[in-house]
Amino acid sequence: MTTTTERRTKRSSGRPLDVETLWQIERIGAISLAPDGRRAVCAVAQPSMADNRTSTSLWLLATDGAPPRRLTRAGGRDGQPAWSPRSDRIAFVARREQQGHKDRTPQLYLISPDGGEAERAATFAPGVESFRWFPDGRRIAFAAWVWPDLKGAAAQQRRHKAWAERKETGYATSEAFYRYWDHDIPEGRVLHLLLLDLASGRVRDLFEGTNYELPRSGAEGCDAYDIRPDGRRIAFVHDPAQAVVLGNRLAIAEIDVATRAVRPLLDAAGWDFGAPRYSPDGHRLAATAAPVARSHTAQNQLALRVADGSWNTWGEDWDRSVEGPLRWADDGASLLFAAEDRGRRHLWRHRPADGRVEIAHAGGWVQDYDAAASTLVVAADSAAHPVRVTAHRAGSEPLRIERFNDTLLAGVALGELRELTLRGAQGDEVQLWLTLPPRHDGRRQQAVLQLLHGGPHAAAGDTFGYRWNTQVLAGEDRVVAQLNFHGSSGFGQAFNDSLNGHQGELELQDIEAASDWLLAQRWCDPQRLYAAGGSYGGFLAAWINGHGPAGRYRALVCHAGVFDRVATFSADSWPVRPKDLGAKYWEDLPRVLAQSPATFAGAMATPTLVIHGARDYRVPDCNGLAYYNTLKARGVDARLLWFPDENHWILKPRNSRLWYREVEAWLERHGDRSPRRRSQPK
């Protein structure tokens, strides 16, 4: 069974999107709405291919649609903007040189929304990771990596100076959680919550002398803590286990700002909590809550704790995952959150009183949002455009309030996006997205690239990517297919968990079902079918090479893919991997090897471009190097693209351009002779 459930109008005039244009797009990031709802501030990244870097500035947006105004220019990476409670100042994090002092670490700056120079709020040597305003507008809570054995900011300053001037480069630790993504957890330090008094510049460590720390990944940023509306208490996320390990369940506690006394708020065996948010009256606390006792990949439900200490959850029967940040309506009658649903990420509104849930802003893909004074601003993209900002004001139609990339993209033709449903493994429905080249007519045969998403608990969808942009990859004459195979997020808990303990099995059946359908299409050239993927998609690309039908795929691309399951135990996520595989390699090696592409290297014969970054701690580059070396040893055509300065993603402009050129050249070398850019390396 195949059904087409949506069709996007294609634009045939103009040139296809290319990598040069892709890296001229201004990228809208974090957004904050003023308490009065009249203006928003957002971070806008401006990439430069010439400088091989990306700078970020802050822009003011008017929710009534008045033209945007640039607010900052001096900083290279101005980020995390947030309005003061009186709407008179905007705080942000940056590294600048001011008054003869150059920041070694990110610091907190303040600027008037009416313009003028930004001023450093204080200098704290270990730096500022994230922050929140207190309701009185006179204090700020912030997170920083500190030495837990020290007392006072002055001692932290001295220790940081000595550490920065050290000559040794070795990293010594006894911790289980010591690296994350592409960086080491600062040696000997933990992530504490501190208090800054803006008038005096005094800094006080709220966690000093305790064993509490914020989650070491730092991934939640300021959404790992929230300040009660009366300013007296702060709710924060922490790991309650004695030994901190990635993948541990998390709890939420509350600290009294004056006495530093801590009490638990949400801490229950079998539940993982996050994203705390006080109600406007301070009597309730909302949070995300995943029942991890059932599954380590359990979807988040919405937890609500009331004044008497009891709590309940909503969302078990909804079968979608509630994602932070959470936002209360001004009257406390409803909560906003984002959640994926079948390849899209909408903004939802939930009413705790009756359990109703509705879409507040339909995706595309909602990337960020904020709400205040009966106004909602949403930053969202889709396959048809990069991130845009829309304002929803009471009594008015939704209004787009910026036009950052309209002129740049006016002459670009984007291909049609189609959404299909196929029968995959176990007879289940699986979703397939097609990105067609702009002048696709359905009659002429074209190359087809199956693009496999990472995760695996993620999804391909109606979103505008930069690392694997489907419009760039489609170019003038290629169809790009993206499959939401078993394990993909946004399709329910059972679908999400279906691959645990036998990774590669159901996904391969889904992939081959999609290839069968693609090869049956009039426009698919059976001699030019390719597959590519990154992360878990890279694992699947390697898995296809050892398991797929011989000769079906003309060539493969494996980016940051798992090749050797045992060697990948060197990853930052090592505590979670046995849960994914259903076994520990030292207890059940055959089961682990049965899910490892390296085990099936003897069957690999498809030419493969292998790409990896040396700073990839999620899938260490020993995987890519071993895969490439194995193919070479077996006489299989292979090419390696290795980046010494990139992580799991390729982020630098020129490295990204090289990445796209190498992928294009590889497909061209293996039969894709369609008219496209000819400046690729050979």
Short mmCIF file of all heavy atoms in Angstrom, two decimals, residues 496-533:
data_model
loop_
_atom_site.label_atom_id
_atom_site.label_comp_id
_atom_site.label_asym_id
_atom_site.label_seq_id
_atom_site.Cartn_x
_atom_site.Cartn_y
_atom_site.Cartn_z
N ASN A 496 8.66 3.47 18.54
CA ASN A 496 9.94 3.98 19.04
C ASN A 496 10.82 2.86 19.58
O ASN A 496 12.02 2.81 19.32
CB ASN A 496 9.66 5.00 20.14
CG ASN A 496 10.86 5.82 20.53
OD1 ASN A 496 11.41 6.55 19.71
ND2 ASN A 496 11.27 5.72 21.78
N ASP A 497 10.24 1.93 20.31
CA ASP A 497 10.99 0.88 20.99
C ASP A 497 11.20 -0.37 20.15
O ASP A 497 11.88 -1.30 20.58
CB ASP A 497 10.26 0.47 22.27
CG ASP A 497 10.48 1.46 23.40
OD1 ASP A 497 11.35 2.33 23.26
OD2 ASP A 497 9.77 1.36 24.42
N SER A 498 10.63 -0.42 18.96
CA SER A 498 10.57 -1.67 18.20
C SER A 498 11.92 -2.22 17.80
O SER A 498 12.05 -3.42 17.52
CB SER A 498 9.71 -1.46 16.94
OG SER A 498 10.26 -0.44 16.12
N LEU A 499 12.96 -1.39 17.77
CA LEU A 499 14.26 -1.88 17.30
C LEU A 499 15.22 -2.23 18.44
O LEU A 499 16.31 -2.75 18.21
CB LEU A 499 14.93 -0.85 16.38
CG LEU A 499 14.98 0.62 16.80
CD1 LEU A 499 15.88 0.87 17.96
CD2 LEU A 499 15.38 1.48 15.62
N ASN A 500 14.83 -1.97 19.69
CA ASN A 500 15.74 -2.22 20.81
C ASN A 500 16.10 -3.70 20.89
O ASN A 500 15.23 -4.57 20.90
CB ASN A 500 15.11 -1.77 22.13
CG ASN A 500 15.01 -0.26 22.23
OD1 ASN A 500 15.68 0.47 21.51
ND2 ASN A 500 14.14 0.22 23.12
N GLY A 501 17.39 -3.98 20.97
CA GLY A 501 17.87 -5.34 21.10
C GLY A 501 18.11 -6.06 19.80
O GLY A 501 18.68 -7.15 19.78
N HIS A 502 17.69 -5.48 18.69
CA HIS A 502 17.95 -6.10 17.37
C HIS A 502 18.07 -5.00 16.32
O HIS A 502 17.38 -5.01 15.29
CB HIS A 502 16.87 -7.12 17.01
CG HIS A 502 15.46 -6.63 17.17
ND1 HIS A 502 14.76 -6.02 16.16
CD2 HIS A 502 14.64 -6.64 18.25
CE1 HIS A 502 13.56 -5.69 16.59
NE2 HIS A 502 13.45 -6.04 17.86
N GLN A 503 18.96 -4.07 16.58
CA GLN A 503 19.09 -2.91 15.70
C GLN A 503 19.58 -3.33 14.32
O GLN A 503 20.49 -4.15 14.17
CB GLN A 503 20.01 -1.88 16.34
CG GLN A 503 19.42 -1.30 17.61
CD GLN A 503 20.15 -0.07 18.12
OE1 GLN A 503 21.30 0.16 17.78
NE2 GLN A 503 19.48 0.72 18.94
N GLY A 504 18.97 -2.73 13.31
CA GLY A 504 19.29 -3.02 11.93
C GLY A 504 18.28 -3.92 11.25
O GLY A 504 18.10 -3.85 10.03
N GLU A 505 17.59 -4.73 12.02
CA GLU A 505 16.71 -5.74 11.43
C GLU A 505 15.46 -5.13 10.79
O GLU A 505 15.24 -5.27 9.58
CB GLU A 505 16.32 -6.74 12.52
CG GLU A 505 15.40 -7.86 12.05
CD GLU A 505 15.00 -8.78 13.18
OE1 GLU A 505 15.85 -9.06 14.05
OE2 GLU A 505 13.83 -9.22 13.21
N LEU A 506 14.62 -4.49 11.60
CA LEU A 506 13.38 -3.93 11.06
C LEU A 506 13.66 -2.74 10.15
O LEU A 506 12.97 -2.54 9.14
CB LEU A 506 12.45 -3.51 12.20
CG LEU A 506 11.99 -4.62 13.15
CD1 LEU A 506 11.04 -4.05 14.20
CD2 LEU A 506 11.31 -5.75 12.38
N GLU A 507 14.66 -1.95 10.52
CA GLU A 507 14.99 -0.77 9.71
C GLU A 507 15.38 -1.18 8.29
O GLU A 507 14.98 -0.53 7.32
CB GLU A 507 16.13 0.03 10.35
CG GLU A 507 15.92 0.39 11.81
CD GLU A 507 16.53 -0.65 12.72
OE1 GLU A 507 15.99 -1.77 12.81
OE2 GLU A 507 17.56 -0.35 13.34
N LEU A 508 16.17 -2.26 8.16
CA LEU A 508 16.57 -2.71 6.83
C LEU A 508 15.36 -3.15 6.02
O LEU A 508 15.27 -2.85 4.81
CB LEU A 508 17.58 -3.85 6.93
CG LEU A 508 18.11 -4.37 5.58
CD1 LEU A 508 18.86 -3.27 4.84
CD2 LEU A 508 19.01 -5.59 5.78
N GLN A 509 14.42 -3.83 6.65
CA GLN A 509 13.20 -4.22 5.93
C GLN A 509 12.45 -3.00 5.45
O GLN A 509 11.91 -2.98 4.33
CB GLN A 509 12.33 -5.08 6.85
CG GLN A 509 12.93 -6.42 7.23
CD GLN A 509 12.04 -7.18 8.21
OE1 GLN A 509 10.82 -7.26 8.03
NE2 GLN A 509 12.64 -7.73 9.24
N ASP A 510 12.38 -1.96 6.29
CA ASP A 510 11.73 -0.71 5.89
C ASP A 510 12.45 -0.08 4.70
O ASP A 510 11.82 0.38 3.74
CB ASP A 510 11.70 0.28 7.05
CG ASP A 510 10.84 -0.19 8.21
OD1 ASP A 510 9.92 -1.01 8.00
OD2 ASP A 510 11.09 0.29 9.34
N ILE A 511 13.78 -0.02 4.81
CA ILE A 511 14.58 0.62 3.75
C ILE A 511 14.39 -0.11 2.43
O ILE A 511 14.22 0.52 1.37
CB ILE A 511 16.07 0.64 4.16
CG1 ILE A 511 16.28 1.59 5.35
CG2 ILE A 511 16.95 1.04 2.99
CD1 ILE A 511 17.63 1.43 6.03
N GLU A 512 14.39 -1.45 2.47
CA GLU A 512 14.24 -2.21 1.23
C GLU A 512 12.83 -2.07 0.67
O GLU A 512 12.64 -2.05 -0.55
CB GLU A 512 14.61 -3.67 1.47
CG GLU A 512 16.08 -3.89 1.79
CD GLU A 512 17.01 -3.21 0.81
OE1 GLU A 512 16.77 -3.27 -0.42
OE2 GLU A 512 17.99 -2.58 1.26
N ALA A 513 11.83 -1.96 1.56
CA ALA A 513 10.47 -1.72 1.07
C ALA A 513 10.39 -0.38 0.35
O ALA A 513 9.73 -0.25 -0.69
CB ALA A 513 9.48 -1.78 2.23
N ALA A 514 11.07 0.63 0.91
CA ALA A 514 11.10 1.94 0.26
C ALA A 514 11.83 1.86 -1.07
O ALA A 514 11.39 2.45 -2.08
CB ALA A 514 11.76 2.96 1.17
N SER A 515 12.94 1.13 -1.10
CA SER A 515 13.69 0.99 -2.36
C SER A 515 12.86 0.25 -3.40
O SER A 515 12.89 0.60 -4.59
CB SER A 515 15.01 0.26 -2.12
OG SER A 515 15.90 1.08 -1.40
N ASP A 516 12.12 -0.78 -2.98
CA ASP A 516 11.24 -1.48 -3.92
C ASP A 516 10.24 -0.50 -4.54
O ASP A 516 10.01 -0.53 -5.76
CB ASP A 516 10.47 -2.59 -3.19
CG ASP A 516 11.35 -3.77 -2.82
OD1 ASP A 516 12.45 -3.90 -3.38
OD2 ASP A 516 10.92 -4.56 -1.95
N TRP A 517 9.66 0.35 -3.70
CA TRP A 517 8.69 1.31 -4.22
C TRP A 517 9.36 2.32 -5.15
O TRP A 517 8.84 2.63 -6.23
CB TRP A 517 8.00 2.04 -3.07
CG TRP A 517 6.95 2.98 -3.54
CD1 TRP A 517 5.65 2.70 -3.83
CD2 TRP A 517 7.13 4.38 -3.84
NE1 TRP A 517 5.00 3.83 -4.28
CE2 TRP A 517 5.89 4.87 -4.30
CE3 TRP A 517 8.21 5.25 -3.75
CZ2 TRP A 517 5.70 6.19 -4.67
CZ3 TRP A 517 8.03 6.57 -4.13
CH2 TRP A 517 6.79 7.03 -4.58
N LEU A 518 10.51 2.81 -4.75
CA LEU A 518 11.22 3.79 -5.56
C LEU A 518 11.59 3.21 -6.93
O LEU A 518 11.41 3.85 -7.97
CB LEU A 518 12.48 4.27 -4.84
CG LEU A 518 12.25 5.14 -3.60
CD1 LEU A 518 13.52 5.24 -2.76
CD2 LEU A 518 11.77 6.53 -4.00
N LEU A 519 12.10 1.98 -6.94
CA LEU A 519 12.52 1.36 -8.20
C LEU A 519 11.34 1.07 -9.12
O LEU A 519 11.53 0.93 -10.34
CB LEU A 519 13.28 0.06 -7.90
CG LEU A 519 14.68 0.26 -7.29
CD1 LEU A 519 15.21 -1.04 -6.73
CD2 LEU A 519 15.64 0.84 -8.32
N ALA A 520 10.15 1.01 -8.57
CA ALA A 520 8.96 0.77 -9.40
C ALA A 520 8.43 2.05 -10.05
O ALA A 520 7.53 1.98 -10.90
CB ALA A 520 7.86 0.13 -8.55
N GLN A 521 9.00 3.20 -9.67
CA GLN A 521 8.52 4.46 -10.22
C GLN A 521 9.13 4.72 -11.60
O GLN A 521 10.32 4.43 -11.83
CB GLN A 521 8.84 5.61 -9.27
CG GLN A 521 8.29 5.43 -7.87
CD GLN A 521 6.83 5.04 -7.86
OE1 GLN A 521 5.96 5.76 -8.38
NE2 GLN A 521 6.52 3.87 -7.27
N ARG A 522 8.35 5.29 -12.44
CA ARG A 522 8.79 5.58 -13.81
C ARG A 522 10.01 6.48 -13.84
O ARG A 522 10.88 6.34 -14.70
CB ARG A 522 7.62 6.22 -14.57
CG ARG A 522 7.92 6.61 -16.00
CD ARG A 522 6.68 7.25 -16.61
NE ARG A 522 6.91 7.64 -18.00
CZ ARG A 522 6.01 8.26 -18.76
NH1 ARG A 522 4.82 8.52 -18.25
NH2 ARG A 522 6.30 8.58 -20.00
N TRP A 523 10.12 7.39 -12.86
CA TRP A 523 11.18 8.38 -12.87
C TRP A 523 12.46 7.91 -12.18
O TRP A 523 13.45 8.64 -12.14
CB TRP A 523 10.72 9.68 -12.23
CG TRP A 523 9.88 9.51 -10.99
CD1 TRP A 523 8.52 9.60 -10.92
CD2 TRP A 523 10.32 9.22 -9.67
NE1 TRP A 523 8.08 9.39 -9.63
CE2 TRP A 523 9.17 9.15 -8.83
CE3 TRP A 523 11.57 9.01 -9.09
CZ2 TRP A 523 9.23 8.89 -7.47
CZ3 TRP A 523 11.65 8.75 -7.72
CH2 TRP A 523 10.49 8.68 -6.94
N CYS A 524 12.46 6.71 -11.61
CA CYS A 524 13.64 6.22 -10.91
C CYS A 524 14.54 5.44 -11.86
O CYS A 524 14.12 4.44 -12.47
CB CYS A 524 13.23 5.33 -9.74
SG CYS A 524 14.63 4.61 -8.85
N ASP A 525 15.79 5.86 -11.98
CA ASP A 525 16.78 5.14 -12.77
C ASP A 525 17.33 4.00 -11.92
O ASP A 525 18.02 4.24 -10.92
CB ASP A 525 17.91 6.09 -13.17
CG ASP A 525 18.92 5.43 -14.09
OD1 ASP A 525 18.94 4.19 -14.18
OD2 ASP A 525 19.73 6.17 -14.70
N PRO A 526 17.05 2.75 -12.25
CA PRO A 526 17.49 1.63 -11.41
C PRO A 526 19.00 1.49 -11.33
O PRO A 526 19.51 0.82 -10.42
CB PRO A 526 16.84 0.41 -12.08
CG PRO A 526 16.60 0.83 -13.49
CD PRO A 526 16.29 2.29 -13.44
N GLN A 527 19.71 2.12 -12.25
CA GLN A 527 21.18 2.07 -12.22
C GLN A 527 21.78 3.19 -11.37
O GLN A 527 23.00 3.24 -11.20
CB GLN A 527 21.72 2.17 -13.66
CG GLN A 527 21.24 1.08 -14.58
CD GLN A 527 21.57 -0.30 -14.07
OE1 GLN A 527 22.71 -0.57 -13.65
NE2 GLN A 527 20.59 -1.20 -14.10
N ARG A 528 20.92 4.05 -10.84
CA ARG A 528 21.44 5.18 -10.05
C ARG A 528 20.65 5.33 -8.75
O ARG A 528 20.12 6.38 -8.44
CB ARG A 528 21.38 6.47 -10.87
CG ARG A 528 22.34 6.49 -12.06
CD ARG A 528 22.39 7.87 -12.69
NE ARG A 528 21.13 8.22 -13.33
CZ ARG A 528 20.73 9.48 -13.55
NH1 ARG A 528 21.47 10.50 -13.14
NH2 ARG A 528 19.58 9.71 -14.16
N LEU A 529 20.61 4.25 -7.99
CA LEU A 529 20.01 4.27 -6.66
C LEU A 529 21.13 4.26 -5.64
O LEU A 529 22.02 3.41 -5.67
CB LEU A 529 19.10 3.05 -6.45
CG LEU A 529 18.46 2.92 -5.06
CD1 LEU A 529 17.50 4.08 -4.77
CD2 LEU A 529 17.73 1.58 -4.94
N TYR A 530 21.10 5.24 -4.72
CA TYR A 530 22.16 5.41 -3.73
C TYR A 530 21.53 5.48 -2.33
O TYR A 530 20.33 5.74 -2.19
CB TYR A 530 22.95 6.70 -3.98
CG TYR A 530 23.46 6.84 -5.39
CD1 TYR A 530 22.69 7.48 -6.37
CD2 TYR A 530 24.71 6.33 -5.75
CE1 TYR A 530 23.16 7.61 -7.67
CE2 TYR A 530 25.18 6.46 -7.06
CZ TYR A 530 24.39 7.09 -8.01
OH TYR A 530 24.86 7.21 -9.29
N ALA A 531 22.36 5.26 -1.33
CA ALA A 531 21.91 5.43 0.06
C ALA A 531 23.00 6.13 0.85
O ALA A 531 24.20 5.89 0.62
CB ALA A 531 21.56 4.09 0.70
N ALA A 532 22.59 6.99 1.76
CA ALA A 532 23.53 7.76 2.57
C ALA A 532 22.90 8.04 3.92
O ALA A 532 21.67 8.12 4.04
CB ALA A 532 23.90 9.08 1.88
N GLY A 533 23.74 8.21 4.93
CA GLY A 533 23.21 8.54 6.24
C GLY A 533 24.29 8.96 7.20
O GLY A 533 25.48 8.69 6.98
#
